[in-house]
Amino acid sequence: MNFHIVTLFPEAFSSYLATSILKRALERGQIKIYFYNPRDFTDDPHRRVDRRPYGGGPGMVLQAEAILRAVRRAVGKKRDVKILILSPRGKQFDNAGARILARRYRHIILIAGHYEGIDARVKKALRAEEISIGPYVLTGGELPAMAIIDAVSRQIPGVLGKGESLEEERIASREVYTRPESFRIGKKTYRVPKILLSGDHKKIDAWKNAH
Ligand code: SAM
C-alpha cells in the first residue's frame, strides 16, 4: 500500500511513523509513504499557498492550484488510486472504511488542509470524497491523515503479527487486565476479575464475550 500525503507539514508525521507497528511496516516495505508539499508546486516566489477567502471571513484558505499540481504528481500514471480530502465535514471514517481502502486500492492520496480549509475547487476538480475522523475540528489534516494511515495499515495482511491480529478481532469492546492481580490507590483496592485467574477457559471466554 502506498500513501501519498499532500501536506504543508510533512515533518509532523515523522515521530509517529518511526514508532511501533507502522515503523515495522515501513521497514518491511508493506507500506510506503510519500509526501508532497504544496509549497513545492506553486509559482509564488515566496512559496506562499494561502490567501484570504473571497466574500470575506476569518483566516486563510489554501489555494487550489498548488494542491492540484501536487495531486497530479502523486497520481502520475498510477492505477487503483483513491483520493481523499480530509475535512471535519466529510464522511465519518471507520474501521469498515479502513478495510475497504486496504482491499480495493494500492495508492491512497490524502489531502490535508490547514487554516480555514482548502479552496472548494480542489474537491470539484478531483471529484474527490471528503473524509472526517470525527465530529470535532482539528488544526490541520495531518493528525487525521496519520489516523487513516494507521487504521488502514492494520488491515493490510501481514502488517500485524499473528497475536496482534487476533487481538484486533477479539478486543474491540473488551476489558483487559495485566499484572499485578491487585493494587491499592488511597483506600481503594483494584482487583482483576476472579474469573480471569480461574484457568477455566470456557468461563473466561464467556466472560470476555460479555465484557
Ligand atoms: N472551518 C474549516 C472547515 O470546516 O473545513 C476548518 C478547517 S480546519 C481548522 C483545517 C483542516 O484540518 C481542514 O481543512 C481539514 O483538512 C483538517 N481537519 C480538521 N478537523 C478534521 C477532522 N475532524 N477530520 C478530518 N480532517 C480534519
Side-chain angles (χ1 to χ4, degrees), residues 47-84:
R47 302 178 77 226
R48 193 174 160 187
V49 289
D50 61 317
R51 288 287 191 277
R52 299 205 65 81
Y54 278 123
M60 306 300 275
V61 174
L62 287 183
Q63 294 174 283
E65 276 174 286
I67 292 180
L68 289 172
R69 285 182 194 149
V71 172
R72 185 189 285 178
R73 172 74 61 80
V75 173
K77 294 196 168 117
K78 298 176 186 76
R79 299 167 70 179
D80 303 326
V81 178
K82 179 73 176 176
I83 304 176
L84 296 169

Side-chain angles (χ1 to χ4, degrees), residues 17-88:
L17 291 176
T19 312
S20 188
I21 288 169
L22 290 183
K23 177 184 182 212
R24 194 178 65 195
L26 280 162
E27 284 169 355
R28 288 177 176 169
Q30 291 162 323
I31 61 168
K32 290 194 173 139
I33 302 188
Y34 305 90
F35 294 101
Y36 306 80
N37 191 331
R39 292 190 200 286
D40 297 332
F41 295 87
T42 176
D43 297 326
D44 185 271
H46 305 291
R47 302 178 77 226
R48 193 174 160 187
V49 289
D50 61 317
R51 288 287 191 277
R52 299 205 65 81
Y54 278 123
M60 306 300 275
V61 174
L62 287 183
Q63 294 174 283
E65 276 174 286
I67 292 180
L68 289 172
R69 285 182 194 149
V71 172
R72 185 189 285 178
R73 172 74 61 80
V75 173
K77 294 196 168 117
K78 298 176 186 76
R79 299 167 70 179
D80 303 326
V81 178
K82 179 73 176 176
I83 304 176
L84 296 169
I85 300 173
L86 297 156
S87 162

